[in-house]
Amino acid sequence: MKYYIKTFGCQMNEHDSQILAGILDNYTDASGAPSSEKNEMTTDIKQADIIVVNTCCIRESAETKILGYLGSLKKYKTANPHVILVVCGCMAQESGAKERIKKRAPHIDIIFGTFNLPKLQDYIRTFRQNQQFIYDIEETPGLEHAVLPVHQDIQSFKGKVNIIYGCNNFCAYCIVPYVRGRERSRSMQHILNEVRAIAAAGGKEVMLLGQNVNSYGKDFPDGGSHHFATLLEEVSKVEGIERIRYMSAHPKDFHVELIDTIAALPKVCKHFHLPLQSGCNQTLKDMNRGYTTEQFWHILEAIRKKIPECAITTDMIVGFPSELERDFQETLEFVDKCAFDDAYTFLYSPRTGTVAAKREHQIPDEVKNQRLQQLLAIQNKHSLANNQKLIGSVQMVLVEGRSKTEASVWTGRTDTNKIVNVPAIEGDRDYTGLFVPTKIVGAKTWYLKGEFIR
Ligand code: SAH
Ligand code: SF4
Ligand code: F3S
């Protein structure tokens, strides 16, 4: 059978989709023995016998888009009644999701949650036997101990590894702890095995994934907050891996000792993604973020002092309930002071079940939009200024391939995760997956322009 996977949401979901594909690639019969029937991934949805939609529910806009997409899948089932339609991921795990999905897309055959990836084959087998709708969001315990197959990406010079599932933080706006459960760290041995497998397949960069990577190992018998630093040291020893990234780090758990570890490990990228969310202490408190702007500033200073060539990026939410105009002004001032290299900026979106959604004083959409524009104006100024500082320097770029928008341009990333676009010249070899020293000759808000030192 041919399968097609559509993924919405974050890197965590992208990686889960690679696991879902890995599970489908290794199709077994009911006894668990390899099946003579083979599955194969297709990028043409019209060819697919199984369509899997891995969903996100972080903001309402994501859900609206996904529900529309699910509705549109009906035509494939009409054209070909044996097609199996599967929905999984964070949105499937939400309370009330079954009803919402079924209302908009009654043609969906299987819905399962974020804890049940390993059961995908069982669901498909059962459905093929009795053609009855399946819904399963029961938490299967022990997922963190499972060793699951991972479908090798075409971009095999980059790989992702889950290090910790779930989140314990319950930021007041956020749905993730409700749909991904509590923190569960994977064993260091399993993680290292996966990193080695990525390296053996030609991988040069690895991304360690978790909602809060700094919590890694706090649930081990000995507890302790040093496990993430130890993990970085161990992953650094894997031959072939040249770049190590991680996503996301929580500012409340980012300690100065970790900065020392990162500074001492050449393979760990000097890019720090530290989601600030708000630059106003009252709002941070209402968000349950667990740090003040002063503490955040202290981390920023420590990073920049120790690693001056670093890049620091952030996430921001505007229009959190009861964010006053003067609170927002504080955010603008603080963001101006932080001078981030980039910021992902979001309009606050109420998520049913979270504390913030129940609060009075929700901010009207037009105010949120105005605030977003003001924030972007300040951030864009810093993004450009930080990029301009790199003009004239030589950066090591890991080339990802030709640009999706311009075929005559190579695109890649610096250690600090900045995009560099380089015009291709005739006779260029295929640089995809290679590290190429690149002279930075220009800067835009979102990317750098470079010339390979060929
Ligand atoms: N665990 C990660 C966050 C994952 S969600 C972390 O804590 O860094 C990615 C980003 O989405 C968050 O940092 C936040 O800025 C944004 N976000 C989460 N919930 C949101 C909501 N309800 N409305 C708007 N933005 C939200
Ligand atoms: Fe959501 Fe906060 Fe957990 Fe990040 S740390 S996933 S924002 S609850
Ligand atoms: Fe990621 Fe969206 Fe889930 S951001 S963790 S896929 S809600």
Side-chain angles (χ1 to χ4, degrees):
M1 290 187 291
K2 288 207 162 90
Y3 67 88
Y4 175 88
I5 304 186
K6 172 82 179 169
T7 310
F8 294 88
C10 63
Q11 310 241 15
M12 194 95 43
N13 253 21
E14 280 172 24
H15 185 58
D16 281 355
S17 288
Q18 284 181 309
I19 293 174
L20 292 168
I23 289 171
L24 289 172
D25 291 338
N26 295 278
Y27 205 64
T28 56
D29 62 24
S31 70
S35 168
S36 55
E37 194 177 328
K38 285 278 168 275
N39 288 324
E40 197 191 325
M41 185 189 268
T42 173
T43 50
D44 178 5
I45 190 166
K46 291 193 216 73
Q47 301 275 319
D49 308 290
I50 304 169
I51 299 174
V52 182
V53 186
N54 193 2
T55 62
C56 170
C57 57
I58 196 83
R59 283 168 286 274
E60 199 180 340
S61 53
E63 287 207 63
T64 311
K65 194 160 103 188
I66 293 167
L67 284 173
Y69 182 80
L70 296 181
S72 79
L73 294 179
K74 187 170 180 211
K75 54 181 179 285
Y76 302 110
K77 189 109 177 161
T78 312
N80 198 349
H82 81 262
V83 166
I84 303 176
L85 300 177
V86 186
V87 176
C88 60
C90 293
M91 185 175 157
Q93 191 74 42
E94 259 185 305
S95 71
K98 180 170 86 176
E99 291 69 27
R100 261 176 296 146
I101 294 172
K102 274 302 211 181
K103 190 165 161 222
R104 189 68 190 269
H107 42 275
I108 300 300
D109 300 313
I110 302 170
I111 300 177
F112 70 93
T114 53
F115 295 87
N116 301 328
L117 269 63
K119 291 200 211 154
L120 175 59
Q121 292 203 31
D122 295 340
Y123 299 140
I124 290 176
R125 246 192 314 269
T126 310
F127 185 82
R128 285 170 91 194
Q129 269 161 19
N130 62 20
Q131 298 289 313
Q132 272 171 23
F133 172 64
I134 296 174
Y135 172 69
D136 183 11
I137 60 160
E138 269 320 292
E139 296 189 13
T140 338
L143 181 64
E144 66 277 21
H145 304 304
V147 178
L148 300 170
V150 183
H151 179 89
Q152 285 303 331
D153 227 344
I154 333 160
Q155 263 197 337
S156 60
F157 57 91
K158 269 181 170 187
K160 299 188 183 82
V161 178
N162 276 321
I163 66 165
I164 177 168
Y165 294 111
C167 182
N168 289 358
N169 289 313
F170 290 94
C171 301
Y173 49 80
C174 185
I175 191 86
V176 171
Y178 301 92
V179 294
R180 292 263 175 187
R182 294 298 72 71
E183 286 174 357
R184 287 148 291 143
S185 302
R186 298 185 65 214
S187 83
M188 203 170 289
Q189 214 44 55
H190 285 162
I191 296 168
L192 290 172
N193 286 344
E194 283 182 25
V195 175
R196 288 189 197 109
I198 289 169
K204 297 190 176 150
E205 179 177 304
V206 66
M207 167 78 89
L208 308 176
L209 293 173
Q211 292 300 344
N212 179 7
V213 292
N214 309 77
S215 286
Y216 177 70
K218 282 186 190 164
D219 52 339
F220 288 162
D222 70 340
S225 57
H226 62 284
H227 291 285
F228 182 58
T230 311
L231 181 66
L232 290 177
E233 283 162 358
E234 290 303 314
V235 174
S236 282
K237 291 179 195 157
V238 176
E239 255 177 71
I241 296 296
E242 301 293 338
R243 278 187 180 173
I244 302 165
R245 300 189 187 279
Y246 51 87
M247 189 95 179
S248 296
H250 196 303
K252 84 174 160 56
D253 299 317
F254 211 93
H255 301 297
V256 175
E257 304 86 74
L258 183 60
I259 304 173
D260 291 336
T261 307
I262 292 171
L265 294 170
K267 291 184 182 180
V268 178
C269 291
K270 305 306 180 254
H271 167 219
F272 297 79
H273 183 68
L274 289 171
L276 170 64
Q277 315 297 3
S278 165
C280 159
N281 281 335
Q282 184 58 50
T283 310
L284 284 173
K285 193 158 172 249
D286 293 343
M287 287 178 163
N288 191 29
R289 285 294 286 175
Y291 54 83
T292 61
T293 53
E294 290 77 17
Q295 287 163 327
F296 189 91
W297 180 248
H298 177 68
I299 303 166
L300 235 59
E301 276 196 311
I303 295 173
R304 287 185 171 140
K305 192 162 168 232
K306 191 100 200 170
I307 311 169
E309 75 282 12
C310 74
I312 305 180
T313 59
T314 199
D315 290 351
M316 298 296 296
I317 298 178
V318 301
F320 184 79
S322 70
E323 180 188 66
L324 301 171
E325 194 49 44
R326 68 157 192 272
D327 298 335
F328 181 64
Q329 289 306 319
E330 283 182 30
T331 289
L332 289 180
E333 279 165 35
F334 191 64
V335 167
D336 201 20
K337 176 173 161 182
C338 290
F340 295 110
D341 289 89
D342 198 1
Y344 296 90
T345 50
F346 304 106
L347 301 175
Y348 167 73
S349 169
R351 307 281 61 216
T352 310
T354 62
V355 172
K358 299 186 198 89
R359 287 180 69 128
E360 287 176 35
H361 305 297
Q362 297 287 330
I363 309 292
D365 282 349
E366 63 268 27
V367 177
K368 287 185 197 166
N369 277 308
Q370 278 164 12
R371 289 184 184 169
L372 185 69
Q373 293 315 315
Q374 291 181 58
L375 181 63
L376 281 175
I378 290 184
Q379 181 48 46
N380 289 349
K381 178 185 80 180
H382 288 292
S383 300
L384 181 62
N386 284 330
N387 283 347
Q388 281 168 337
K389 283 185 205 153
L390 296 175
I391 294 177
S393 71
V394 172
Q395 303 285 325
M396 199 49 103
V397 170
L398 177 54
V399 181
E400 296 183 352
R402 293 295 180 105
S403 157
K404 287 197 182 82
T405 46
E406 235 178 303
S408 60
V409 169
W410 292 107
T411 186
R413 283 177 191 266
T414 63
D415 176 291
T416 54
N417 208 34
K418 289 181 189 264
I419 296 171
V420 185
N421 289 335
V422 178
I425 56 174
E426 230 182 275
D428 263 353
R429 60 184 289 194
D430 185 3
Y431 286 106
T432 310
L434 299 181
F435 287 97
V436 187
T438 304
K439 179 147 192 206
I440 305 304
V441 295
K444 298 271 180 192
T445 310
W446 312 115
Y447 65 92
L448 300 167
K449 293 180 183 177
E451 283 166 6
F452 289 151
I453 299 177
R454 285 180 170 86

